[in-house]
Every structure is written in C-alpha cells, then in structure tokens.
C-alpha cells in the first residue's frame, strides 16, 4: 500500500483552556513571518461549529488546525499533497510537522500558560479512503510502519496502539505511551 | 492533490449513471488538456464553472497579509482561468435539487469534506452544499463519488440553470396548495443539460413554492418562481418571471396567475429559448432575464414567449412525469404518534421544540430543523445525522435556504429520543428561523468579491444574541438577519428584516470595513418586498446597531405590529437618525480595532496604504462630498417613500452627478459645469482610463450614471425610481472605492 496523506493530532493537556479565537492572530502572524515550511494561504475560523475544525491555517501542502474534532482540543497537521519517500518517511514528516507546530503554538504569547500539548499520545489518521480504507487489510499493512516509527521514538513495548473499528471512519490509530 | 484519484475511477466503474460518468470523464480530459496548454483559460474557466468548480479568494496568488501584499508561491505555473492559478484551492458547489438528501448522500458529503476540503460542508442560501479549499485535480474523483450516490455538480455555477430550489417542507406543509416536489424534480432534470439552456449569457434561477404567503422558496427573487395554485380542482402555478437580487434587485413579475401543470415544462423551455436569444451576452452586468423583461416590457415578453411556445416540438418529457405525480408521496419510517412527556419538565427540550419542530399536516408527524451555525456542519455530524435519519425516518432530509437541514416525517412520539441523539451530536441548537439563526454568504472568508467579513459578523451577532437567549422578547426573536459580504446579495440581505451588505470607507487615512444597513425587506410572502440601504456603519458597530434598532422597535411598536410595518410607519428618516452617530470611526491610535474586520487579525487595508497623504486631516474634502451624496441618495428614498416619484428620481440623479463631481474635483479635472460637461469629463478621466473600474464589475456602475444622465428627462414610475436609487447607491459606493484605490496608488507611489 502506497499510503499518503497522513493526518496527525496531538491532544491538548486536560488543564489547557485557551481561547480558541486567539489562534486567528497567531496563524496570521505565522503567515506574515513564514513560521511554517509550507506555502501558506489563509486562516479560516470555525469557532462557531461545535466540535469542529476550530481555527485552521490553510497551506498548499497541508492544513494546520487548533482543532476541536470529537470534542477534544488538539493540534492537527493534515497533509494534503503527496510526499516522496517511504510510507514511514511520510508518517515521520506528519508527526514532525505536528510536533513542531505544537511547540510553536505553546510559545505564542496569546496562549501563555493556557495551552500545552500531551507528547505521550498521538492520533494518526490516513485521510484517504481509497488508499487506506478502515479495514483489517489496511491495519495489517500499516501496523508495521506505525510500530517502526514509534519504536524508534518511544522504544519497543513502551506504548499501545488502538484502532477505530467504524468502517465509515477514516483509518485511525491512537498511539499512547505507557 | 490526492494520489488516489485514479483508484476511484476504477472502483466506481459501472456504478455511476452513464451520462454522469461520461460527463465526468470529459471534464477529466479537459483538465488534462488544460495542463498540457491545449485549452484557453476562458474556455476552461467556463467548463469548470459549469461543473460547479469555482474560484476562491486569493486564487490570483496575491494576498495582503496585514502588512503587505504578497505573492503566494504555488508550485504550478499553470492557470485554470484568466488570472486564476492552478494550485489555488477552489470551492466546489454541489447541487441539491430542492434540498432533497438521503443518508447515503450525507455520508458521502462527510467523506468528501474530510478528504478533499477542510472537514466542513456548508449549506448555501440556494440549498446547495459547498466544499472549500478543494484542488481542481481532485474534482473528478469527488464528482464520481457524488454521482455514485445520485448527485451531480453539473451546471452548479456558470451561465446555466442553477439549483432548482423548493420549500423544504413541501408535502408536509399545513398551508401549501399541493406538494411541489415532483414538479421541482421534473423541472431540474428536464432543464439539466437541455440544449435550450446551454447558451445563456448569465445564470438562471428557478424556485417552487407551495403557497404564496410563506417565505420558503422566495419566488420573487427568481428568474422563474412557480407558486402552487389549485383552480377548479386542477393543479397549476402562479408563474413569476424576471426576479433577482444582485446589484440591481428586481421583484419577479406575475406572468400568469395560472399555468396548468402540463404547461410548466414547455413554458420554462420557451422562456429558456427566449432568454438565450434575447438575453445580453457580452455585458454580463445586464445579462439576467430581468433585463430582457425591463427592455421589452412584460407584455411583449409574454407575447414573444407565447410565440416561442407555439414553435416547440412536443416533448414527451413535458407530461410523462405527471402520471406519477398524484401517487408521489414520501413514506414515514415509523408509525405516527403523539408526544408523550413523562418526568420533570426539560426546559432545553421545550425551547428547542418551540423553534425547531414544525407540526406536519399529517397528524402525529413533525419536521425537525437541525440548526447549523452559519450553514456549517462537520463530517462527524453528517455521519451522525445519517444514522439518526435512518433510525427515525425513511431518510427524508432537505437543506433550506436559511442554511439549515430538516428531517421530515419524525413521529412526534420520537421527538424526545431524537432530540437526545441530536444533542449528543451537537446538532440540537435551538433558534431555527429566529434572529439568532443569522444567514451569511461566504464574504471575505473565501469569496473573491467579498468586501467585508459577512461570516465573521454573523458569528459575532449569533453568539451575542444566543447569550441573551430567551431574554429576547418574542417580537425580536422572530426577526431575520441576513448578511452579504458585498452588494451581490448572496446572503439575500434585501429580503431580511435587518439586512447588511459589506462596503468599505476611507476614514482617517485608512480603509475601514463597513456594512450598509438595509431596511424595508420582507421575508414573508415569498420575499414580498426588497429593502433599501439607509446608511453605512463600521463593521465593529453593527452589533450595537442591531441592539439599538431592535430595542427601539420593542419600545415603540404598536400592538402586534411587525418590524416591517413598524419600519414603514416611522419612516427611513427616523430609522437613519437612530444610527447616525454610529457611523463615527475613532482615530486609529485610539482604537485600532475598527480597522480590523471580524474574525480577522489583519489590518483592513487596500494594499499597503498606511497613513495617507492626508495624514493629519480627519476627513478629506472628497470624503465630505461623497458622504453628502449618500445623504442625497437617502433623501431620494424618503421622497419615494412619500410618493414623490419624480423628485426621488431627480435627487438620485443629482447625487450621482455630485459623486462624479467629487471625484473630478479631487483629481482637479477640468469641466464646464454643465450636466453634459460633467458626464463627458467623468467619462474621459475615469471611465476611458478605467480608473473607475474594479476588477470584477468593470465599468458597470459608471454606466448607471451614463444611463441616468441619458434618461434624466424621462418620467419614472415608482419601480424605476426604486431601481435608480439602488443604482445611485452603487455608483456612490464605487466612487468611494475608486477614491480608495487611487489614493492607495498615490501613497504607494
Ligand atoms: S454577496 Fe458578495 S461576498 Fe457574498 S458570496 Fe456573493 S459575491 Fe461573494
């Protein structure tokens, strides 16, 4: 399976209580100051949508978001364009981009003391049902990739992986450090 | 762009209706041809528009980031239309005829919004669904997936017959003459791709209403508005033609008070042929059907259409569907039942039921409105709603022109359980159809033509009004607020109680986002009256404007007087006086918030305007003069309100001329001071040079002035004077914009 389009979400820690709208000036500043490597386009506000995408920074290659999907606040990196390299490289890229953006957000003055991300839990999604339907076959193909990437980050046996079983969902695995 | 697009083509092979499959294959080839440079920009643009693939803001690669205007460095050098970059994300409009949806379609829309867009599906004021930030190369896969569940995007944009709209409660409505659904369905598929509808100079909109009194399908704002009528036991339609909003709104005119059902499709076909033949093709600003009717008059239009009708070759499709109409009916999923409430009262449920539940004419059943803030719904919510629709109904869903979804045929007994499930999916917001249910077009969020942030304002008003919740008096709760990001009126501001459309003003050397307040519109009676703008207010003071006007209405209304009647009684002058002081914009250094629009963080400027040459002056002379012109245009409205039609037309023309004079004076352009001399000087200095042109409307608004000048000695009737006032307001807006653009250039230079 030549999987592309990983989406990674890092969850905010339970104590985080940011004002979601504060991400609007932050993301606009990221555009002005070219703070992310992608080709930035614009910022969209979905604060009015309950459990929605929150505030997003739309780029040509990806969408970043301070997201409230499924009622859990987090930082999302959603890869839109294809990447060269192996599937493992692509997953590492999405994880790296999400973590870099999370670190940037935590340092922004608008979120001082209000926003922290949990570095012990990751939601990994493949945003493409044709490449990766939420089936056992996809799981069989992707599990070794996930294992390889997280073994090297956390150490073998240092984490658990849980998978969504709803066939209507995108392929989704949640990795939690022990 | 997705790498999986080819996989969808293979996996859906044989599962799509053949004509749709062929149509999408053709579009895919055109995309390839365009990439190979074998198709002209203009041709490809029309081709993709006809498939619903629309441009989005910044697709020319230029964006002001709050500090400077910068190029977005998209990787591809290709274009997908004149000045439209290939890689720039676009909007995909998806036609949902008369709003009808089923569960599988909701699930597909959920998937598409996640995989190709930003996770949101947006319901429009024409019952369409829109996805934003879509890549052009993904559109064939997206279209195939839609076609697999019976949806087409064909003719969703472009110079075509747009989505046919209809009452979302057709068939279950207590006041309808009959269910218009099968007629709307037949009209949709009869006109879709019909050879007689392929050569229009502009879009063409059709709606079906079940009755004349309610607002559901807004017959009066359509090119064809069909309103159900039964005469001597026979079904037919009151047939309205030539309506439209946009820059110069026009109420549709009654073409026939009864068109028998068998004549519906042939009459529409004949009108299509007449429109294709007589409609303007070169100047899109005068290309809608309303201009044909204006030009030749309604009687002549009727005659030409009747003649055209006689020449048509009979088509079995005109009447084939009628044999099934009588039998057409939606089935409920569950037996009828009465609401039984046990246990303690649930205030939240009761409040939701008050605004979001409509008792159907079929006893024991209700239609439930799922309120979507700003028309937005997430992929997860779409999936949850699909489950709910299957559980409680036979998937009888519709989208509405108020940007919501409705679930029809819910057994009243199931309402508490349904409410609980909607609540779990965060879809049980109360307030459907009330003042909190603010309607807004995309505005500056994604629309290329947006001037002010209609969605940002709508979200702000919504959250403030929700916070007041049920403290709001009943009379205020029932009002409608509709917001457009510009004069094009996609938010349908003309037919709201409180309508707003985005404009800009130059204040204190900066450009400041504003909204014009439009009053006098009527949502009921199928958009029974259009409002007029009474004055521009800075965006940041609109919430105060709403508070002030609604409080005064509450305090001063007589008995059960509607807002429309109240506004008419006290008159525009009194209404305007209520908000005059709100036009004030404090200097930038004392409150910079006025210079940033809602939901944005960037300073609202045109280019890097900064502090202008006029720094130090609070108001330049031209700003004074243009403000005076607005006042004169307003006085024209007052005269019209008083029945002084000739005076209204005279004042409107004068204010246009004075706006032209203001610009001429500002640029020190010589002229001889006569009306002819002013027009001539204005034409040379601003029209021929294209200084007055904006990128999207060109010189259209200047032409209004030229036409008014030509016709200044003619006798106007009230409707013509109303139109002239509309045109005057647009000419003055364009003068403000022209001044803003030219001053920006001056500063930049
Ligand atoms: S009204 Fe103007 S801003 Fe709003 S969608 Fe229409 S064209 Fe765009």
């Amino acid at each position: 399976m030549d999987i592309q389009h990983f989406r990674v979400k890092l969850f905010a820690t339970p104590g985080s209580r940011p004002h979601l709208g504060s991400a609007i000036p932050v993301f606009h500043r990221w555009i002005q100051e070219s703070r992310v490597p992608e080709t930035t386009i614009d910022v969209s506000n979905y604060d009015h949508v309950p459990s929605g995408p929150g505030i997003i920074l739309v780029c040509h290659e990806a969408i970043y978001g301070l997201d409230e999907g499924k009622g859990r606040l987090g930082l999302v990196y959603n890869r839109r364009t294809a990447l060269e390299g192996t599937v493992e490289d692509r997953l590492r890229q999405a994880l790296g981009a999400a973590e870099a953006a999370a670190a940037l957000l935590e340092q922004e003055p608008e979120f001082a003391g209000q926003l922290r991300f949990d570095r012990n839990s990751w939601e990994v999604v493949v945003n493409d049902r044709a490449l990766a339907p939420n089936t056992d076959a996809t799981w069989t193909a992707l599990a070794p990739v996930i294992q390889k990437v997280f073994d090297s980050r956390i150490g073998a046996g240092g984490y658990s992986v849980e998978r969504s079983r709803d066939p209507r969902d995108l392929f989704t695995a949640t990795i939690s450090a022990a | 762009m997705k790498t999986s697009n080819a996989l969808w083509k293979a996996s859906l092979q044989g599962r799509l209706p053949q004509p749709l499959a062929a149509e999408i294959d053709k579009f895919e080839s055109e995309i390839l041809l365009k990439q190979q440079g074998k198709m002209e920009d203009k041709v490809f643009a029309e081709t993709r528009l006809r498939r619903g693939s629309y441009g989005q803001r910044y697709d020319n690669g230029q964006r002001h980031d709050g500090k400077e205007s910068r190029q977005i460095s998209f990787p591809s050098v290709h274009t997908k239309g004149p000045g439209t970059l290939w890689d720039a994300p676009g909007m995909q409009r998806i036609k949902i005829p008369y709003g009808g949806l089923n569960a599988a379609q909701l699930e597909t829309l959920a998937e598409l919004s996640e995989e190709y867009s930003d996770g949101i599906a947006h319901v429009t004021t024409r019952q369409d669904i829109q996805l934003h930030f879509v890549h052009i190369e993904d559109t064939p896969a997206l279209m195939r997936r839609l076609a697999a569940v019976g949806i087409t995007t064909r003719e969703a944009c472009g110079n075509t017959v747009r989505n046919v709209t209809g009452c979302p409660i057709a068939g279950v409505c207590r006041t309808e003459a009959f269910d218009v659904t099968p007629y709307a369905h037949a009209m949709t598929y009869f006109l879709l791709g019909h050879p007689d509808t392929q050569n229009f100079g502009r879009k063409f909109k059709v709606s079906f209403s079940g009755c004349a009194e309610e607002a559901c399908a807004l017959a009066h704002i359509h090119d064809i508005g069909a309103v159900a009528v039964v005469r001597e036991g026979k079904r037919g339609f009151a047939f309205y033609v030539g309506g439209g909003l946009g820059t110069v709104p026009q109420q549709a005119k009654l073409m026939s008070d009864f068109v028998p059902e068998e004549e519906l499709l042939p009459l529409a076909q004949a009108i299509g042929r007449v429109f294709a033949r007589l409609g303007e093709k070169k100047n899109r600003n005068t290309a809608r059907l309303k201009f044909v009717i204006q030009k030749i008059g309604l009687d002549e239009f009727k005659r030409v259409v009747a003649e055209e009708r006689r020449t048509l070759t009979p088509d079995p499709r005109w009447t084939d569907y009628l044999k099934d109409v009588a039998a057409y009916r939606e089935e409920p999923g569950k037996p009828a039942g009465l609401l039984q409430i046990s246990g303690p009262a649930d205030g939240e449920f009761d409040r939701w039921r008050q605004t979001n539940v409509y008792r159907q004419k079929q006893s024991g059943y209700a239609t439930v409105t799922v309120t979507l803030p700003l028309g937005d719904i997430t992929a997860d919510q779409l999936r949850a709603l699909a489950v709910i629709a299957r559980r409680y109904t036979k998937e009888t869903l519709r989208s509405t022109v108020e940007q919501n979804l409705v679930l029809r045929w819910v057994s009243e007994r199931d309402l508490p359980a349904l409410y609980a499930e909607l609540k779990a999916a965060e879809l049980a917001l109360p307030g459907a159809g009330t003042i909190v249910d603010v309607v807004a077009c995309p505005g500056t969020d994604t629309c290329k033509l947006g001037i002010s942030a209609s969605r940002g304002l709508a979200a702000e008003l919504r959250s403030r009004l929700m916070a007041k919740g049920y403290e709001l008096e009943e009379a205020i709760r029932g009002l409608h607020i509709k917001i457009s990001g510009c004069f094009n009126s996609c938010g349908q501001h003309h037919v709201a109680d409180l309508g707003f459309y985005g404009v800009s003003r130059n204040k204190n050397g900066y450009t400041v986002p504003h909204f014009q307040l439009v009053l006098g519109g009527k949502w009921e009676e199928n958009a029974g009256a259009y409002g007029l703008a009474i004055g521009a207010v800075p965006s940041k003071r609109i919430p105060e404007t709403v508070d002030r006007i609604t409080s005064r209405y509450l305090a001063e209304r007589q008995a059960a007087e509607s807002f429309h009647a109240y506004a008419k009684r006290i008159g525009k002058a009194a209404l305007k006086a209520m908000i005059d002081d709100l036009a004030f914009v404090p200097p930038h250094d004392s409150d910079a918030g006025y210079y940033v629009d809602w939901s944005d963080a960037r300073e609202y400027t045109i280019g890097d305007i900064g502090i202008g040459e006029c720094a130090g002056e609070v108001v330049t002379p031209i700003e004074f003069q243009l403000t005076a012109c607005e006042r004169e245009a307003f006085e024209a409205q007052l005269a019209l309100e008083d029945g002084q039609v000739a005076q209204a037309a005279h004042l409107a023309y004068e204010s246009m001329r004075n706006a032209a004079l203001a610009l001429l004076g500002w640029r020190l352009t010589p002229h001889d001071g006569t009306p002819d001399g002013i027009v001539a000087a204005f034409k040379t200095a601003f029209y021929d040079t294209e200084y007055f042109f904006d990128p999207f409307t060109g010189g259209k608004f200047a032409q209004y002035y030229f036409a008014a000048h030509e016709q200044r000695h003619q006798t106007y009737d009230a409707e013509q004077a109303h139109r002239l006032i509309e045109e005057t307001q647009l000419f003055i807006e364009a003068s403000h914009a022209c001044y803003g653009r030219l001053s920006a250039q001056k500063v930049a230079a």
Side-chain angles (χ1 to χ4, degrees):
Chain A
M1 274 181 174
D2 187 27
I3 288 179
Q4 296 276 3
H5 312 303
F6 281 103
R7 187 174 87 188
V8 170
K9 181 167 180 177
L10 296 185
F11 297 106
T13 56
S16 293
R17 296 270 178 280
H19 170 52
L20 205 63
S22 300
I24 296 173
V26 170
F27 285 158
H28 278 293
R29 210 160 51 233
W30 286 14
I31 296 178
Q32 285 169 351
E33 296 170 4
S34 308
R35 301 290 290 278
V36 290
E38 288 83 1
T39 311
T40 53
I41 300 172
D42 200 16
V43 179
S44 270
N45 176 7
Y46 290 114
D47 194 4
H48 53 276
V49 181
S51 297
I55 313 296
I56 59 172
L57 168 59
V58 183
C59 308
H60 173 65
E61 299 83 355
I63 293 181
Y64 289 90
L66 185 58
D67 172 280
E68 291 186 309
K70 303 205 192 297
R72 287 189 73 183
L73 182 70
L75 180 286
V76 160
Y77 178 81
N78 183 4
R79 183 76 199 184
R80 283 160 68 84
T81 53
L83 278 170
E84 296 293 318
T86 63
V87 176
E88 194 187 310
D89 294 337
R90 294 169 196 158
L91 175 55
R92 284 187 200 282
Q93 185 276 337
L95 285 163
E99 285 169 348
L104 272 179
L105 266 190
E106 285 171 338
Q107 287 157 22
E108 292 293 352
E110 285 86 346
F111 293 124
Q114 294 167 24
L115 182 60
R116 283 257 156 265
F117 293 100
D118 180 358
R119 301 315 201 281
N120 291 309
S121 177
W122 300 259
E123 185 182 78
V124 171
V125 174
V126 184
N127 192 7
D128 192 310
R129 286 177 173 81
L131 293 179
N134 195 12
T135 59
D136 290 345
T138 304
W139 172 243
T140 308
L142 259 183
V145 176
I146 292 174
Q147 192 180 350
K148 205 161 167 197
V149 169
F150 283 89
D151 278 1
S152 68
R153 293 168 74 95
I154 302 173
Y159 61 93
S160 60
V161 185
E162 213 180 305
R163 189 197 135 194
S164 149
R165 300 256 163 206
D166 185 341
R168 301 185 315 162
D169 278 352
L170 291 161
F171 176 87
T172 304
T174 306
I175 296 97
S176 308
Chain B
M1 179 206 145
K2 296 282 188 195
T3 54
S4 62
N5 289 336
L7 298 176
W8 286 110
K9 185 168 185 181
S11 70
L12 294 172
Q13 190 87 44
R15 285 176 49 198
L16 312 187
Q18 216 292 313
L20 288 187
E23 171 67 24
I24 298 166
D25 288 349
K26 203 168 134 201
F27 183 44
E28 196 166 44
S29 308
E30 286 165 343
I31 290 178
L32 280 174
L33 285 173
K34 181 71 187 90
Q35 278 180 298
Q36 292 163 4
K38 294 180 184 153
M39 234 176 143
E40 265 185 60
D41 265 341
K42 257 171 95 171
V43 179
F44 184 72
E46 179 62 15
T47 263
R48 68 174 161 74
L49 287 170
R50 280 174 184 259
R51 270 77 171 207
S53 297
Y54 217 78
Q56 231 179 264
R57 207 166 176 88
Y58 316 123
D59 65 8
N60 60 357
Q62 203 66 35
R63 179 180 180 277
H64 197 276
D65 68 8
K67 285 186 175 166
E68 58 181 334
S69 191
R70 293 216 301 207
Q71 196 69 35
I72 305 173
S73 330
F74 290 114
S76 173
V77 294
H78 293 298
T79 50
K80 53 184 176 182
T84 310
L85 299 176
W86 188 258
D87 282 330
M91 177 269 278
Q92 180 65 49
R93 184 174 294 152
I94 300 165
K95 267 176 145 177
I96 309 293
Y98 51 90
L101 283 162
N102 62 34
Q105 291 171 336
L106 292 188
E107 286 166 343
T108 298
L109 288 166
E111 292 182 0
L112 303 183
S113 69
E114 273 171 339
E115 292 177 52
Y116 303 111
S117 174
D118 55 7
I120 289 287
H122 173 75
V123 178
T124 75
T125 53
R126 291 202 58 74
Q127 297 177 296
D128 299 288
I129 304 282
Q130 284 179 186
L131 303 178
H132 292 98
F133 302 110
V134 175
H135 198 281
I136 184 75
E137 284 165 61
D138 291 337
T139 54
L142 180 155
M143 289 171 190
R144 288 192 176 100
R145 295 171 75 177
L146 285 170
V149 289
I151 296 178
T152 179
T153 68
R154 188 171 179 193
E155 298 176 7
C157 307
N159 300 329
T160 60
V161 179
R162 301 294 184 83
N163 194 36
V164 173
T165 56
C167 306
I169 50 169
V172 300
C173 170
R174 299 194 303 269
T175 58
E176 70 185 0
F178 55 83
D179 184 355
V180 294
T181 308
Y183 301 94
H185 185 87
M187 180 75 92
T188 297
Y189 294 100
F190 176 67
L191 294 181
L192 182 71
H194 194 293
D196 290 341
T197 64
Q198 302 305 302
N199 190 26
F200 291 169
R202 214 50 181 95
K203 60 191 169 186
F204 190 88
K205 297 179 177 176
V206 181
S207 86
F208 282 85
S209 299
C211 73
E213 295 75 29
E214 304 297 331
C216 310
L218 307 173
H220 290 117
I221 69 171
H222 285 82
D223 295 282
I224 290 181
V227 180
V229 176
V230 175
R231 185 176 281 179
E232 291 161 13
K234 188 163 170 43
R235 285 180 170 194
F237 295 89
F239 207 81
Y240 293 85
V241 289
L245 296 178
T247 47
V248 181
Q250 178 82 48
Q251 286 255 343
K253 294 183 165 42
L254 186 65
M255 182 174 181
S256 165
D257 60 359
F258 190 78
V259 171
E261 57 182 355
E262 62 277 10
E263 268 305 298
L264 181 68
L265 301 189
L267 183 58
Q269 185 182 349
I271 290 174
R273 287 168 69 98
V274 168
F275 180 46
R277 201 174 67 236
L278 301 184
E280 169 65 43
K281 296 287 186 334
K282 288 205 184 84
N283 179 2
R284 57 187 281 107
N285 298 323
T286 54
R288 290 288 297 272
L289 183 69
K290 59 188 172 186
F291 295 105
V292 174
I293 297 173
Q294 231 174 66
K295 196 167 157 195
I296 65 175
L298 183 62
D299 290 337
E300 175 63 6
F301 179 74
K302 283 188 201 173
R303 192 194 63 75
V304 179
V305 169
E307 202 168 278
E308 192 70 43
R309 166 69 187 89
R310 279 193 291 277
T311 67
L312 294 182
T313 311
D315 183 334
R317 291 178 301 165
W318 288 348
T319 49
D320 271 359
Y321 74 100
L322 289 173
K323 62 181 183 316
D324 302 321
V325 160
Y328 172 83
R329 106 171 259 268
E330 278 177 352
E331 295 297 327
K334 298 183 70 177
L338 294 180
L339 177 62
Q340 288 156 351
I341 297 182
S342 54
D346 177 348
E348 275 188 12
F349 171 73
D350 289 339
R351 281 196 287 273
W352 171 80
R353 189 160 67 95
Q354 244 177 50
T355 52
N356 292 45
V357 175
Y358 174 84
R359 190 169 44 79
Q360 294 186 186
K361 68 177 167 191
Q362 296 86 359
S363 156
Y365 288 103
T367 291
V368 166
T369 300
V370 178
T371 317
L372 306 180
L374 275 55
D376 291 343
I377 184 166
T378 67
D380 284 335
Q381 288 176 321
L382 282 164
R383 278 190 284 270
L385 191 56
V387 170
I388 293 170
R390 286 195 182 101
R391 184 166 299 150
Y392 293 98
T393 69
K394 278 213 167 139
E395 307 176 29
T396 39
L397 291 135
R398 299 226 181 157
S399 54
T400 79
V401 296
E402 292 190 278
Q403 302 183 298
N404 292 320
L405 292 169
V406 298
L407 256 177
R408 302 139 57 90
W409 293 100
V410 176
S411 171
E412 286 186 17
R413 184 185 296 140
D414 288 336
L415 285 171
L418 177 99
Y419 172 73
E421 289 196 37
L422 287 175
K423 197 171 167 193
E426 298 182 276
L427 286 169
L429 291 170
T434 70
I435 193 167
V436 303
D437 200 6
V438 181
V439 166
C441 76
T444 46
D445 279 19
T446 51
C447 174
K448 292 206 265 191
L449 309 182
I451 296 174
S452 307
S454 41
R455 275 168 61 84
L457 173 61
E460 184 66 26
L461 289 177
R462 188 182 161 78
S463 92
R464 289 184 191 221
L465 291 162
M466 288 285 274
K468 291 187 185 167
Y470 282 76
E471 285 162 29
L472 289 173
E473 293 284 338
E474 185 72 39
I476 293 180
R477 253 189 279 153
L479 301 183
H480 293 95
I481 298 181
K482 296 183 190 292
I483 310 172
S484 302
C486 77
F487 43 74
N488 279 309
S489 199
C490 303
Q492 301 172 339
H493 59 259
H494 288 101
V495 294
D497 295 298
L498 296 165
F500 297 96
Y501 72 88
V503 294
S504 67
R505 288 285 180 274
N506 298 298
K507 300 269 169 152
N508 311 324
Y510 293 82
T511 313
V512 182
H514 279 60
F515 280 91
Q516 279 280 5
L517 169 61
V518 177
L519 294 177
K522 197 171 189 186
W523 178 246
E524 295 74 21
E525 295 167 23
N526 272 300
Y530 292 175
L532 278 170
I534 70 160
V537 179
S539 295
K540 291 294 170 75
R541 303 196 84 165
I542 299 295
E544 234 174 310
T545 306
V546 171
D547 275 352
R548 195 176 284 182
I549 292 190
T550 52
S551 315
R552 287 283 293 272
Y553 164 54
L554 202 60
E556 296 169 6
R557 78 192 195 117
Q558 296 174 346
E561 190 176 39
S562 70
F563 181 76
H564 183 79
Y566 164 76
K568 210 165 170 185
R569 174 172 61 79
I570 71 163
K572 295 251 169 68
L575 288 162
K576 184 160 163 43
M578 282 184 206
I579 58 157
D580 271 346
D581 63 310
L582 296 178
F584 174 70
V585 178
H588 189 275
D589 51 7
S590 74
D591 192 344
Y594 280 79
Y595 302 79
V596 174
D597 212 342
W598 294 108
S599 255
D600 208 329
R602 293 168 293 168
E603 192 152 276
Y604 182 93
T605 57
I606 303 167
D608 200 8
I609 187 167
I611 305 257
E613 281 185 319
C614 49
E617 293 171 355
V618 175
V619 181
T620 57
I622 182 170
E623 286 172 65
F624 267 129
Q625 287 158 357
L626 291 176
T627 307
C629 296
E630 286 178 62
R631 194 203 60 238
E632 286 160 5
F634 182 69
E635 283 162 2
Q637 271 192 65
L638 296 182
L640 186 63
E641 202 172 70
D642 264 3
Q644 302 168 45
V645 177
Q647 174 68 356
H650 172 71
L651 283 170
Y653 168 70
E654 290 275 295
S655 55
M656 269 198 206
R657 198 187 58 191
N658 289 340
L661 269 171
L663 283 170
L664 290 170
W666 175 59
R667 300 282 283 197
L668 305 176
T669 312
H671 56 85
D672 65 10
T674 65
D676 286 338
I678 295 166
V679 165
F682 178 81
K683 188 168 176 305
T684 311
F686 289 94
Y687 187 81
D688 297 343
T689 55
E690 300 194 359
Y691 286 154
F692 199 75
F693 287 31
D694 78 31
F696 300 104
T697 50
K700 173 178 172 176
F701 301 139
Q703 284 159 7
Y704 291 161
Y705 170 43
F706 302 150
H709 178 71
E710 286 299 311
Q711 293 155 15
R712 66 193 187 283
H713 301 303
Q714 91 169 37
T715 310
Y716 281 81
D717 63 23
E719 191 182 345
Q720 290 165 330
H722 186 109
R723 194 163 58 238
L724 181 64
I725 293 170
E726 243 347 301
E727 291 175 350
T728 301
Q729 286 170 335
L730 292 167
F731 181 76
I732 298 168
E733 287 306 338
S735 304
H736 274 293
C738 172
Y739 162 61
R741 273 194 311 275
L742 294 180
S743 354
Q745 283 170 12
K746 225 161 144 182
V747 171

